[in-house]
Amino acid sequence: MLERLFKLKEHGTDVRTEIVAGLTTFLTMAYIVFVNPSILGAAGMPQDAVFVATCLIAALGTAIMALYANYPIALAPGMGLNAYFAFVVVGAMGYSWQTALGAVFVSGCLFLAITVFGLRELIVRGIPQSIRTAIVVGIGMFLAIIALKSAGIVVASPTTLVTLGDLHQPPAVLAVIGFILIVVLDRFRVPGAILIGIVTVTVLSFFFGGNQFAGVFAPPPSIAPTFLQLDIAGALQGGVLNVVLVFFLVELFDATGTLMGVAKRAGLLVPGRMERFNKALLADSAAIFAGSMLGTSSTTAYAESAAGVQAGGRTGLTALTVAVLFLACLFISPLAAVVPAYATAPALLFVACLMLRELVELNWDDPTEVIPGVITALMMPFTYNIANGLAFGFISYAVLKLFTGKARDVHWMAWIIAAVFLFKFIYMGGH
């Protein structure tokens, strides 16, 4: 049956290899079941329900990817977008988490529509490469400042905006230990380096941070507090539309780039197999609005899937293994509930550091390309808002190209997005 479903021989693999690859991918991304409830909990969402939603959408989305597209790629709520959801949309902009879930749902519907009608590739082609690169870098810097704040390493200052925190406090010391551990384990290619780092800091927190152990296993908590709690009407109001745009654009580049990168690494982007890639795009799109209905921020393809591909995963059986393991996670909710924010901070900072490597992709010889890219990246953490980074990036790109005689180099889609952001600043203010 497995041979019929996944065509293992055709892909030069077997059941054992695929299951080991699935376990490898799961270990590298299982941290999300601890990190996501912690981050969305900061937005006032019930952490137990978010934990269940995270496990369910990771299992459901990855199972669809396995059975529909036969790809060895796992899905789960995306890092970066969950932070934007909690700390910007809810925290800084003041929207309710129900409205933010509505915005995720609307962006998911848009995402699915452009995938079905083949517009996804057109939009991606229309966005300048420098802005595309800068989105990843900017989100990385944004994650870094959130991580350092959660660990107490960076704190607010009335005179300098930010300053160094008290490094003698247990959260800061334990976060530093966790970060060094993750980097060292990753250097030696230990599967699950991020997860090991989170678990180690959590264990140490019981001895040095005053944390209380609540057990490991329990029946799954109720998902009722977040299930179908999204406010779609609220998300369609004028002020929230730029939030929808940010979700949409980041999902677009992050998911498409990840899918293409991992699929290429697995040797699946070859003539005759592109039909399956389109199915993978559809599976990825469907998971976003399904996740918003369960009660979590945007779901996306995980770059950590490359670890499973490295271990030999070539078919959907790898992904199906990951899906089953995420379902099993439903029974460890007490463990997820005791993970402190400073235990997940090292994971956030590590992911942030890896995202900054995209800077090398910028064309440093052309200031009309590199300046808008750098402005995009810098304005995200410094205004604590991903949308502002995108706005400054697109506007500066259009203006610099216009005044250097390179207007014809700009895709019409970039002009439209720049005009929308400019209109927003002029007539609706900067918030």
Side-chain angles (χ1 to χ4, degrees):
M1 185 183 75
L2 291 176
E3 175 59 43
R4 249 194 346 266
L5 261 178
F6 301 111
K7 300 183 172 61
L8 301 175
K9 285 180 184 171
E10 182 185 319
H11 292 88
T13 184
D14 55 48
V15 173
R16 183 183 173 279
T17 302
E18 293 289 302
I19 290 175
V20 169
L23 179 61
T24 304
T25 294
F26 174 76
L27 286 175
T28 61
M29 62 182 286
Y31 65 86
I32 195 64
V33 302
F34 304 114
V35 178
N36 204 46
S38 171
I39 290 176
L40 297 188
M45 295 187 71
Q47 289 200 37
D48 281 353
V50 174
F51 169 78
V52 176
T54 303
C55 293
L56 286 179
I57 195 57
L60 176 65
T62 307
I64 294 171
M65 183 67 76
L67 300 171
Y68 180 61
N70 195 18
Y71 260 31
I73 294 176
L75 305 175
M79 294 289 285
L81 281 170
N82 52 7
Y84 175 67
F85 180 106
F87 299 110
V88 178
V89 181
V90 178
M93 299 173 78
Y95 292 110
S96 69
W97 60 263
Q98 291 90 343
T99 301
L101 281 179
V104 173
F105 178 85
V106 174
S107 72
C109 291
L110 282 174
F111 205 44
L112 190 61
I114 65 155
T115 304
V116 169
F117 293 111
L119 298 174
R120 193 163 169 176
E121 189 185 346
L122 175 68
I123 293 174
V124 170
R125 270 209 314 264
I127 310 303
Q129 180 62 43
S130 55
I131 304 285
R132 243 183 284 183
T133 300
I135 288 172
V136 179
V137 176
I139 290 172
M141 293 168 72
F142 187 63
L143 284 181
I145 200 166
I146 289 168
L148 293 169
K149 178 174 173 284
S150 298
I153 295 171
V154 167
V155 295
S157 163
T159 51
T160 59
L161 294 182
V162 291
T163 189
L164 190 65
D166 184 355
L167 299 184
H168 295 97
Q169 293 298 315
V173 175
L174 293 176
V176 170
I177 291 170
F179 180 71
I180 292 171
L181 178 62
I182 289 172
V183 176
V184 170
L185 292 177
D186 182 72
R187 172 65 184 83
F188 290 112
R189 302 188 184 279
V190 176
I194 292 176
L195 185 62
I196 293 168
I198 292 173
V199 170
T200 302
V201 175
T202 302
V203 169
L204 290 174
S205 73
F206 297 128
F207 300 99
F208 305 106
N211 202 355
Q212 298 293 315
F213 185 63
V216 178
F217 300 105
S222 170
I223 196 176
T226 59
F227 184 61
L228 295 181
Q229 295 300 307
L230 60 168
D231 179 7
I232 298 171
L236 292 172
Q237 293 171 359
V240 199
L241 289 181
N242 73 315
V243 172
V244 172
L245 181 64
V246 170
F247 280 135
F248 174 71
L249 286 176
V250 177
E251 287 157 2
L252 185 68
F253 302 131
D254 186 39
T256 308
T258 300
L259 281 169
M260 291 191 76
V262 178
K264 190 174 180 183
R265 198 163 174 178
L268 298 171
L269 284 187
V270 293
R273 287 184 179 168
M274 287 305 285
E275 181 192 340
R276 280 171 56 205
F277 183 70
N278 293 330
K279 286 184 175 182
L281 294 177
L282 271 175
D284 175 65
S285 307
I288 295 172
F289 68 83
S292 70
M293 289 189 280
L294 289 171
T296 181
S297 52
S298 304
T299 304
T300 188
Y302 258 60
E304 284 86 346
S305 303
V309 168
Q310 193 70 30
R314 292 294 180 270
T315 73
L317 183 53
T318 294
L320 191 62
T321 304
V322 177
V324 170
L325 290 168
F326 270 117
L327 276 182
C329 280
L330 284 169
F331 298 93
I332 59 163
S333 59
L335 201 58
V338 297
V339 177
Y342 58 82
T344 56
L348 282 176
L349 187 58
F350 177 68
V351 172
C353 292
L354 295 184
M355 292 171 86
L356 293 189
R357 66 184 170 194
E358 296 289 325
L359 275 169
V360 299
E361 299 294 327
L362 290 174
N363 179 7
W364 292 91
D365 295 324
D366 184 352
T368 66
E369 290 289 335
V370 77
I371 298 299
V374 171
I375 286 174
T376 302
L378 288 177
M379 292 303 283
M380 287 183 187
F382 290 153
T383 64
Y384 218 69
N385 191 310
I386 293 173
N388 286 341
L390 284 169
F392 280 100
F394 273 105
I395 293 168
S396 62
Y397 185 85
V399 169
L400 288 175
K401 291 293 185 183
L402 182 64
F403 288 114
T404 55
K406 294 184 174 182
R408 289 185 179 179
D409 296 348
V410 182
H411 195 280
W412 58 268
M413 183 64 70
W415 286 114
I416 290 174
I417 296 173
V420 168
F421 277 128
L422 190 61
F423 176 83
K424 174 185 171 292
F425 279 137
I426 294 171
Y427 293 102
M428 298 167 63
H431 300 290

